[in-house]
Amino acid sequence: MPNVFKEKARVLGISESFSLSRDKSFLAGVVMRKDLVLDDVFIEEPKIGGNDVSEKIVNGFRSLRRTDVSCLMIEGCVLSMYNIVDLEYVYNSIKLPIICITDRKGKDLRESFAKKGQEDKLKLYEKLGPQKELNVLGYKYWVRFVGLDEFEVKHVIKSFIVSGRKPEPIRVAKIIARAFLKRSLSRNI
């Protein structure tokens, strides 16, 4: 198991940006060391409202061909208009711990999926289990995680808080994803 306590442990921070005027979002992944050095980046384009975000995360990670990443940190488990991360699939595919983190408690989406007859999404959502509230450096987070215990999760989050509440790998990934989205919209791609 990778060591998240190493001085220069690396995290793959993942975030996305989308517009409903496109059929795909931009998913950015950023490999960042604890000393905040940016090591690598990937971009993928999951379908808005689709079921492919887990596969895109795995493909993005594999495209980096890195063996030094200790953990994935994803901004949320429900992306791109209900494209749900299958934590079990991603974890089993890449064999690394995963933290899904948000700074707001998510809504319970089970009733919505059931009413719309979206059994595939309902099943994936239920697999996620409930969010767990954590307090780190005076900030509240809601997380789901696999491959780490709560102490390790808090350590990873704390290690990457620089300015404000958003962990730096996720903040940088969001900036990159937004830049790709802005460029796409300006070119009407």
Side-chain angles (χ1 to χ4, degrees):
M1 182 62 63
N3 184 352
V4 296
F5 295 102
K6 289 189 325 192
E7 183 179 335
K8 295 198 177 173
R10 288 168 176 82
V11 164
L12 175 59
I14 299 172
S15 187
E16 52 111 29
S17 191
F18 70 92
S19 167
L20 293 177
S21 65
R22 288 179 37 107
D23 64 339
K24 293 185 176 182
S25 68
F26 287 100
L27 183 77
V30 171
V31 176
M32 186 176 285
R33 294 190 330 212
K34 268 190 189 177
D35 60 2
L36 307 180
V37 170
L38 180 66
D39 274 349
D40 222 334
V41 175
F42 77 74
I43 296 289
E44 289 284 342
E45 293 183 73
K47 186 169 175 30
I48 293 175
N51 292 318
D52 62 345
V53 74
S54 302
E55 184 179 324
K56 297 292 185 179
I57 289 169
V58 170
N59 291 345
F61 172 77
R62 288 181 175 156
S63 75
L64 299 174
R65 300 180 193 272
R66 299 195 67 109
T67 59
D68 56 356
V69 173
S70 299
C71 173
L72 270 65
M73 187 183 292
I74 306 169
E75 187 173 30
C77 286
V78 181
L79 307 176
S80 305
M81 295 301 295
Y82 311 114
N83 200 332
I84 300 168
V85 178
D86 183 340
L87 291 177
E88 181 182 338
Y89 168 79
V90 176
Y91 180 74
N92 288 332
S93 296
I94 65 173
K95 307 292 189 232
L96 287 176
I98 304 167
I99 303 167
C100 283
I101 181 170
T102 64
D103 56 10
R104 288 174 291 183
K105 183 171 175 56
K107 295 178 186 173
D108 187 340
L109 301 172
R110 288 178 292 192
E111 187 176 320
S112 175
F113 293 141
K115 278 183 183 177
K116 294 176 184 173
Q118 295 176 309
E119 292 300 318
D120 56 340
K121 292 193 182 296
L122 177 60
K123 188 176 176 181
L124 273 176
Y125 184 76
E126 287 177 338
K127 268 178 63 174
L128 291 174
Q131 291 177 306
K132 181 169 183 60
E133 183 180 332
L134 296 181
N135 287 295
V136 180
L137 297 175
Y139 296 116
K140 281 187 182 179
Y141 298 98
W142 283 265
V143 298
R144 293 177 172 107
F145 52 90
V146 61
L148 297 169
D149 62 30
E150 186 176 323
F151 178 78
E152 292 167 320
V153 170
K154 285 182 174 183
H155 173 78
V156 171
I157 295 169
K158 184 177 179 179
S159 296
F160 288 97
I161 297 296
V162 177
S163 176
R165 70 182 318 135
K166 195 167 287 204
E168 198 67 6
I170 288 176
R171 190 184 74 78
V172 173
K174 176 66 93 180
I175 290 169
I176 292 168
R178 271 196 201 129
F180 272 81
L181 178 63
K182 286 178 186 176
R183 182 171 186 232
S184 167
L185 294 175
S186 71
R187 293 179 172 192
N188 241 350
I189 298 174

